Amino acid sequence: MRTFPVQLSLVLLITCPVIACRKPQVTASASAVPVSKKSASTEPPRSDTFHFSGEVNRGDRFRAPAGSNLIFALEPYAGNDSGWTIRLLPGADAKSMSMDCIGAVSEPLHGDKNVEIEPPDDLSQKPAKWRPREFEFVPDAAGCRTAWNLTNLVYYPSKLTDEQRAEAGEKLGKIPTAHGRFTVLQSVLSPATNTNETGSIEWLKFEVELDFPTASSSTLPQGNAPQAQAAASAVGIHAVDLQKFLTKNYLEAQPDLTYLTDQCAGDQPPIMEVGVQYGDLDGDGQDEAVYQGFTCMSGTAGVDYFGVLKMLPDGKLVPLPIESQRNGFKGRHDLYHGLRGHLRLEIKKGRLVEIFPLYANDNECNACSSGGEREFFYRWDGHQFTLDDIMDTPPEPNKN
């Protein structure tokens, strides 16, 4: 269990390992095959947004978990060209890296600017103006593989008859899709040289938003929707009485709390109070539980019992680790300056967020912080929650 000093807070950043993935080179067929269109719905489907941010240097590949077992990837241009291609992979194995969950539902067009990140036309503008990239994608790994195989049958030369190609096109058109956005937040650009007439992108900071359909809008059987929805809401970690579990079985959540048995008064329960909120924090399509509360040893610094629980396929609840406190983050070394604890946890766009009141000076009382708040954003990296970003939010203007 991590403990809070007088001035402290927690932080996490996702480190994205590099993978070698190359977009397959294909030649479009001369004959066009119609793909059946989905019928328009009178009500837009509900969605859960998976959000993350990242950074990439010129020539580097980037990848990050993107929910539903997908992997978001930026593939750098070859040679002296500067830029990246946006891709979504249905897995990390060699076969999956040859697929693309965006390209699987996009007509093959040369120079599709929606998935290409290239230097802006006018490099003299400060800051540079970047157009958000909007794209459609298949929102699950299995569906992506199916769509990819169908796309190759529909659009690229094969031994299929026209009837077979039309049937493949109809199946492709029925595969559900979702919407994604890629937004450049900051950039470092270099002017054009003799070898690069368009200039180059030396560094990007970006954010990605993927709108995954909710279970009730995309995966429930249509023949028995009310019953299916009721069943869906009753399974997984939501079906567990976590208030009871976290109060009675607190050592399963935090094994290092054994000292509470001796420290708490005889008539005092070890766990005094605990609250729970839910969200998919590791991108597997299933909710995790974020809890926060107070033990019998809680003092004036606030919450001292908190963490994340995940339900395994066999129904067992396990804690997900959070990385240890850092001394610095991206050149910043004042991570805990102005903090005195008083933690609260929230889930924001698929990320675990630890929020602390920020004290402007040492003379302020515990309930009198005037410096706003400091937020530490954590993202699951496959092994632990690791620091993703830090944001200081100024105090709200005095309304009196």
Side-chain angles (χ1 to χ4, degrees), residues 46-236:
R46 290 179 290 171
S47 64
D48 292 322
T49 300
F50 187 90
H51 173 276
F52 64 92
S53 60
E55 299 178 25
V56 63
N57 294 314
R58 179 180 178 180
D60 288 347
R61 292 182 176 91
F62 175 96
R63 82 168 185 179
S68 295
N69 296 319
L70 301 182
I71 296 173
F72 176 86
L74 292 180
E75 174 68 18
Y77 287 2
N80 292 324
D81 291 337
S82 172
W84 293 266
T85 299
I86 301 171
R87 301 181 62 203
L88 277 170
L89 314 175
D93 57 286
K95 187 174 182 180
S96 295
M97 289 186 202
S98 69
M99 302 179 180
D100 184 4
C101 302
I102 300 173
V105 287
S106 302
E107 293 187 14
L109 300 174
H110 295 290
D112 183 2
K113 298 300 182 182
N114 286 333
V115 294
E116 304 297 333
I117 311 301
E118 298 178 345
D121 293 333
D122 187 358
L123 296 181
S124 64
Q125 291 186 336
K126 304 294 182 182
K129 290 187 177 181
W130 292 93
R131 174 181 59 84
R133 270 61 173 180
E134 309 268 346
F135 53 86
E136 301 299 310
F137 67 97
V138 182
D140 67 278
C144 174
R145 295 186 181 97
T146 299
W148 182 258
N149 293 330
L150 288 172
T151 293
N152 281 284
L153 293 176
V154 171
Y155 291 111
Y156 306 122
S158 68
K159 296 181 180 180
L160 296 182
T161 64
D162 289 344
E163 182 178 350
Q164 290 172 323
R165 287 163 60 84
E167 182 180 353
E170 184 176 355
K171 291 180 180 178
L172 178 61
K174 293 180 179 179
I175 291 180
T177 62
H179 188 73
R181 290 171 296 281
F182 178 97
T183 306
V184 175
L185 302 177
Q186 299 177 39
S187 61
V188 175
L189 307 175
S190 293
T193 65
N194 292 335
T195 59
N196 186 349
E197 296 181 355
T198 61
S200 61
I201 309 169
E202 303 300 330
W203 171 83
L204 282 183
K205 181 176 183 179
F206 58 88
E207 67 177 5
V208 177
E209 295 175 279
L210 303 174
D211 296 331
F212 287 93
T214 59
S216 60
S217 65
S218 64
T219 61
L220 292 176
Q222 296 301 311
N224 200 8
Q227 291 86 343
Q229 186 166 355
S233 62
V235 299

Side-chain angles (χ1 to χ4, degrees), residues 35-48:
V35 177
S36 62
K37 303 293 185 181
K38 301 179 183 67
S39 58
S41 173
T42 57
E43 181 179 347
R46 290 179 290 171
S47 64
D48 292 322

Side-chain angles (χ1 to χ4, degrees), residues 54 56 80 109 175 213 247 252 266 275 326 359 387 398:
V56 63
N80 292 324
L109 300 174
I175 291 180
T247 302
E252 293 185 38
R326 297 188 181 191
Y359 293 84
L387 185 59
N398 193 338

